[in-house]
Amino acid sequence: MKYKFSKYVFVAPLAIALGCGGSKNTTPAKAVVTTEKNAIDRKADSVLALMTLEEKVGQMNQYNGFWEVTGPVPKDGSAAIKYEHLKKGWVGSMLNVRGVKDVKALQKIAVEQSRLHIPVIFGFDVIHGYKTVSPIPLAEAASWDLEAIQKSAEIAAAEAAASGLNWTFAPMVDVSRDARWGRVMEGAGEDPFLNSRIAEARVHGFQGNLGPLSVAACVKHFAGYAFAESGRDYNTVDISDNTLHNIILPPFKAASDAGALTFMNSFNELEGIPATGNAYLQRDILKGKWNFKGFVVSDWGSMGEMISHGYAKDLKDAAMKAANAGSDMDMESSGYVEHLAALVREGKVSEEKVNDAVRRILRVKFMLGLFDDPYKYCNEAREKETIGKKEFREGVLDMAKKSIVLLKNDKNLLPLAKQGKKIALIGALANDKTSPLGSWRIGADDGTAVSVLEGMQQYKGNQLVYAKGADVALGNPVFVSETKINTTDKSGFAEAVKAAKAADVVVMVLGEHGLQTGEGRSRSDLGLPGVQQELLETVFKANPNVVLVLNNGRPLALPWAAENIPAIVEAWQLGTEAGNAVAQVLYGDYNPSGKLPMSFPRNVGQVPIYYNHKTTGRPGNGQPTESVFWSHYTDVANSPQYAFGYGLSYTTFDYSNFKISNTSFGKNGSITVTVDVKNTGKVAGKEVVQLYLHDHYASVTRPVRELKGFEAVTLAPGETKTVTFAINEKLIEFYSAKKVFEAEPGTFTVYVGGDSNATLHADFTFTE
Ligand code: NOJ
């Protein structure tokens, strides 16, 4: 039966005329948001006018999937309560229900049994792919390829939407400086500029034009979550307003400007106020200054957690504080559904605040086309033909290759020759079909990634011998701590040594299991887990021609490997096509071009380490004769092992002819910087040319340098291209002592090069 909204069917033709039903997935969502604002508002208001207070509060309530929908209807306990709430229209959204059959069954209850037939929005963590998995987001960021990243989000959205979902809890845009924090794998690393551009690409990729193969994005975690003290997940955050505005917020602003439909707040506190109850973040900045029109969902149970934080007396108090602060939807605390109507009646929360939240939620549902057709995402045939499409596999393979970073390649050990060699492949991760899927890929099935072993077996000209060496075994990844899961078993060492001795080249795949990063997986040590370091050193003694392929979801500190191992390839957790991507890079069928989106420390004591740090009052002069009284360590250099923006290629690039068009500009003016980049090697390659600025003095202290532009150039051997960057007032703006974004007159240095240590430079001034 074709669904009809008898009560407000009048809005449907209008919605269709405006394109809410969705068509080809090409226009960025932003355009939809702008042109439809008024019409959508009118539609949302027309529904709002029909709602009781309880029904309004119900829209602000999100439940986790509570019921095996093909089984009997729940009769007791919390599942029965949730079921009753669904029938009453007291559930605005559900998470973790997926698959057309289940989504449809639950949607049917909401739209056919509730009084107002308001459809439910179905959310899920589609972080880097649904069934066909892309590299973890940190790895994708290493590509610096916005087009590829957008495409990857489109693939994820298409599979998720085909599976009945219409909302992903992504992108995570938390600028992350602390590799101990397990969730660095979910974001785009340490730089606000790179994070911002990637945030835009991901929002556009997920949302497309909101057609049936797109989903609403949810920008998270608003805000400051990555700054958890000592990298321990959920820990206290204590940061300055300066850091908040100059470092943390820019990617959120960029995502909001790109048209993201929803935001998620975060578990942490800011200035002593948990984000869920934080009006400065949600009301003043997001909905105020930025004029964000979508809605904010809490993080899982974060409303209730305000009690543990010591910020709320009980759940009712927490609900009051969250609602008043502008947190629109409650994920799994039941704070709103249990207390918000009473709080309104008692005058503790104004009905206007509730109306505002509900209007925002209804708007998103209208924009997604759910009022036109609540089953828009529920097409079994489409589900079948979309999930796992060949072109999606090709897309994630392309993304995976672009995400790989070549960290070291002494004596050109790589690429490997394709014929007549004996290769020893060592490491449990080389033969793992689950770990490459990484963390946060709950829609995908275990064992569905191509392993490195399988990838390398495609190259039949060499003799390949595999030896496990040592396990990186995981028990239950959620309940067993890492100390228990790391094996101490060295019984496989002898076989690995034997294989290494007989080989021309040894490829060792070592690192973290895909589930050793992600939420709740903070580490205090950034070395290779378990006995892998010992395995590496033992094998190296047997045969020093080692190529180390790293699998990890965070920067690792591997000083011994950096010094001794001749070739190191950063291969992260690369998703479904991981093994093919790694093999194609090792054999030179793809020339690596990735650049690190996070600094790799020399040891864990340097963390947090990031390139865009402040100079301090005692920056030192770098001379060996210097006294100890400057900002440094006595036992390790200040510099990272591998810098932000760093990455090698199988070819080499030469930068020359660096020019600046003028040495000063004023308001509304600009200058250009040009540089010639030449491929001086023997194979074609891609170089990501980066531009950094340093502001010498200002009303507040500024970083030593900040990324402000990048462009990839692909060059044939011997070819030269000129890269041009424009520098204008916008680019030098920052959150100043006046607490506004502005460009202050002063002196700047511009640097251009292939990483954050770029040396070509020139000074310029900005005049009033
Ligand atoms: C908690 C995580 O912090 C958040 O990122 C995620 O989207 C929700 N759980 C829902 O799974």
Side-chain angles (χ1 to χ4, degrees):
M1 178 189 91
K2 174 100 178 84
Y3 176 82
K4 278 255 184 311
F5 288 95
S6 51
K7 288 268 196 278
Y8 32 80
V9 73
F10 60 92
V11 296
L14 181 57
I16 290 163
L18 288 165
C20 281
S23 56
K24 228 176 128 241
N25 199 0
T26 49
T27 326
K30 175 81 175 157
V32 182
V33 178
T34 319
T35 56
E36 292 195 22
K37 183 172 158 276
N38 294 334
I40 293 283
D41 279 349
R42 277 203 306 276
K43 289 186 230 174
D45 282 338
S46 74
V47 179
L48 195 61
L50 304 170
M51 298 172 81
T52 64
L53 178 58
E54 276 72 15
E55 284 165 340
K56 289 177 188 174
V57 168
Q59 284 304 302
M60 299 166 71
N61 179 35
Q62 183 187 53
Y63 280 144
N64 188 35
F66 57 90
W67 166 44
E68 176 52 66
V69 290
T70 51
V73 167
K75 294 261 179 297
D76 315 296
S78 67
I81 295 171
K82 288 178 173 183
Y83 177 73
E84 281 311 309
H85 287 181
L86 190 63
K87 286 205 294 190
K88 283 185 178 167
W90 289 8
V91 182
S93 170
M94 300 215 27
L95 78 152
N96 294 335
V97 176
R98 63 196 157 102
V100 165
K101 197 163 124 240
D102 286 10
V103 169
K104 206 176 187 175
L106 286 172
Q107 189 72 294
K108 201 165 146 61
I109 297 170
V111 298
E112 289 186 8
Q113 298 192 43
S114 71
R115 190 181 75 91
L116 288 176
H117 323 293
I118 298 175
V120 163
I121 174 171
F122 289 87
F124 196 69
D125 289 282
V126 186
I127 308 299
H128 55 111
Y130 182 66
K131 284 274 183 225
T132 308
V133 178
S134 258
I136 56 169
L138 185 66
E140 287 193 354
S143 73
W144 298 51
D145 188 327
L146 303 176
E147 219 176 286
I149 291 172
Q150 175 164 338
K151 178 86 200 137
S152 158
E154 278 168 18
I155 293 170
E159 286 195 340
S163 176
L165 296 163
N166 30 51
W167 184 21
T168 177
F169 303 127
M172 183 186 102
V173 305
D174 296 310
V175 169
S176 310
R177 292 173 163 178
D178 195 328
R180 293 170 297 183
W181 191 53
R183 300 194 78 168
V184 302
M185 53 79 45
E186 274 179 77
E190 75 193 36
D191 181 70
F193 184 87
L194 183 61
N195 256 286
S196 299
R197 303 294 76 80
I198 291 177
E200 290 157 356
R202 289 197 169 129
V203 167
H204 289 147
F206 287 132
Q207 295 193 167
N209 74 343
L210 303 183
L213 289 179
S214 301
V215 292
C218 183
V219 185
K220 66 189 191 186
H221 304 86
F222 197 63
Y225 182 36
F227 281 66
E229 276 179 4
S230 50
R232 204 180 73 211
D233 208 1
Y234 319 123
N235 202 5
T236 304
V237 168
D238 196 357
I239 48 160
S240 67
D241 212 37
N242 183 314
T243 299
L244 177 70
H245 286 274
N246 282 315
I247 304 294
I248 294 172
L249 292 184
F252 287 98
K253 170 81 163 62
S256 170
D257 289 348
L261 291 180
T262 74
F263 266 52
M264 182 186 292
N265 57 39
S266 52
F267 291 127
N268 58 283
E269 65 172 67
L270 194 78
E271 294 270 8
I273 300 178
T276 308
N278 200 306
Y280 177 56
L281 284 172
Q282 298 172 110
R283 274 189 17 219
D284 300 354
I285 296 175
L286 179 62
K287 296 173 182 176
K289 259 193 212 156
W290 298 355
N291 200 22
F292 172 70
K293 291 285 180 240
F295 70 85
V296 182
V297 65
S298 79
D299 202 343
W300 178 285
S302 64
M303 184 186 297
E305 286 180 16
M306 291 204 288
I307 306 167
S308 313
H309 274 289
Y311 183 67
K313 190 172 96 202
D314 50 26
L315 190 58
K316 187 170 179 184
D317 191 32
M320 180 186 78
K321 286 175 170 152
N324 283 332
S327 189
D328 301 312
M329 185 181 276
D330 169 16
M331 183 191 286
E332 266 290 317
S333 283
S334 295
Y336 285 163
V337 74
E338 285 177 22
H339 302 291
L340 192 51
L343 285 163
V344 171
R345 292 199 175 98
E346 289 161 20
K348 296 200 171 117
V349 175
S350 71
E351 186 150 3
E352 192 31 56
K353 286 227 171 67
V354 170
N355 287 347
D356 179 63
V358 178
R359 191 178 290 115
R360 289 168 181 277
I361 293 163
L362 295 175
R363 285 180 88 257
V364 170
K365 292 184 178 181
F366 272 112
M367 295 182 76
L368 286 169
L370 288 171
F371 277 99
D372 302 323
D373 178 6
Y375 305 112
K376 171 177 159 185
Y377 297 84
C378 298
N379 179 323
E380 271 102 355
R382 188 168 60 217
E383 181 177 40
K384 234 177 161 183
E385 81 206 15
T386 305
I387 290 177
K389 264 188 180 176
K390 188 167 164 276
E391 67 189 75
F392 294 167
R393 295 286 291 231
E394 287 161 5
V396 299
L397 173 60
D398 179 60
M399 185 76 254
K401 288 189 284 193
K402 288 173 170 164
S403 304
I404 292 173
V405 186
L406 181 62
L407 295 176
K408 190 174 174 192
N409 193 18
D410 278 3
K411 293 184 239 141
N412 292 332
L413 193 55
L414 289 173
L416 302 173
K418 287 183 182 164
Q419 294 292 332
K421 298 281 178 203
K422 282 188 184 157
I423 313 274
L425 178 63
I426 295 171
L429 290 172
N431 191 21
D432 196 316
K433 291 173 66 61
T434 296
S435 171
L437 299 173
S439 201
W440 277 122
R441 46 83 192 169
I442 41 185
D445 303 316
D446 281 0
T448 50
V450 177
S451 69
V452 174
L453 176 59
E454 289 169 330
M456 291 195 64
Q457 281 167 343
Q458 311 295 312
Y459 291 83
K460 301 197 189 303
N462 287 334
Q463 192 191 321
L464 183 69
V465 174
Y466 171 71
K468 182 170 77 174
D471 259 321
V472 196
L474 277 173
N476 184 318
V478 175
F479 297 108
V480 181
S481 78
E482 197 182 322
T483 44
K484 286 187 193 145
I485 59 185
N486 286 336
T487 175
T488 50
D489 180 7
K490 295 185 209 158
S491 60
F493 276 32
E495 191 200 3
V497 166
K498 192 173 158 216
K501 277 190 176 151
D504 297 304
V505 181
V506 185
V507 176
M508 295 188 76
V509 184
L510 304 177
E512 297 174 312
H513 187 278
L515 294 174
Q516 282 174 312
T517 49
E519 188 178 350
R521 278 86 166 196
S522 294
R523 294 182 63 201
S524 67
D525 172 36
L526 296 175
L528 296 169
V531 291
Q532 293 179 97
Q533 178 67 32
E534 217 178 315
L535 175 67
L536 177 64
E537 293 182 28
T538 308
V539 168
F540 177 76
K541 265 191 216 133
N543 184 343
N545 285 335
V546 173
V547 176
L548 173 59
V549 176
L550 291 173
N551 280 190
N552 43 315
R554 56 157 66 81
L556 295 177
L558 302 174
W560 184 88
E563 193 173 327
N564 295 288
I565 298 297
I568 306 179
V569 176
E570 176 49 76
W572 317 102
Q573 283 118 15
L574 292 172
T576 307
E577 287 287 334
N580 286 331
V582 170
Q584 288 180 31
V585 163
L586 294 182
Y587 276 107
D589 285 338
Y590 187 85
N591 186 354
S593 56
K595 302 274 190 177
L596 293 179
M598 267 186 101
S599 307
F600 274 44
R602 296 175 189 275
N603 66 30
V604 74
Q606 289 184 311
V607 172
I609 185 167
Y610 46 96
Y611 84 94
N612 48 351
H613 58 85
K614 302 287 185 72
T615 54
T616 80
R618 294 192 174 192
N621 60 21
Q623 298 308 311
T625 53
E626 199 164 12
S627 76
V628 295
F629 303 112
W630 61 288
S631 179
H632 74 300
Y633 300 102
T634 54
D635 56 355
V636 69
N638 282 4
S639 60
Q641 188 80 63
Y642 297 113
F644 174 84
Y646 170 81
L648 301 172
S649 162
Y650 292 150
T651 188
T652 45
F653 301 100
D654 182 50
Y655 285 69
S656 65
N657 228 353
F658 174 74
K659 280 188 211 138
I660 185 161
S661 64
N662 209 326
T663 52
S664 100
F665 71 101
K667 277 203 171 308
N668 303 320
S670 68
I671 52 176
T672 56
V673 173
T674 51
V675 69
D676 289 347
V677 185
K678 181 175 183 187
N679 180 344
T680 49
K682 294 197 176 65
V683 291
K686 186 167 87 179
E687 169 77 333
V688 180
V689 183
Q690 301 157 42
L691 175 131
Y692 296 85
L693 291 182
H694 171 54
D695 185 348
H696 292 207
Y697 58 91
S699 62
V700 292
T701 59
R702 308 287 297 122
V704 288
R705 53 179 72 183
E706 296 173 285
L707 180 75
K708 290 291 176 180
F710 59 91
E711 190 167 325
V713 275
T714 301
L715 297 166
E719 192 185 4
T720 301
K721 276 184 189 162
T722 304
V723 178
T724 304
F725 295 101
I727 301 173
N728 57 21
E729 192 181 337
K730 192 93 205 123
L731 218 61
I732 57 172
E733 278 184 355
F734 64 100
Y735 192 71
S736 75
K738 288 191 208 144
K739 305 252 175 222
V740 291
F741 272 89
E742 60 175 340
E744 291 179 357
T747 312
F748 299 78
T749 302
V750 53
Y751 299 88
V752 172
D755 60 45
S756 56
N757 288 320
T759 49
L760 290 174
H761 68 279
D763 286 355
F764 67 88
T765 54
F766 175 68
T767 54
E768 248 170 324

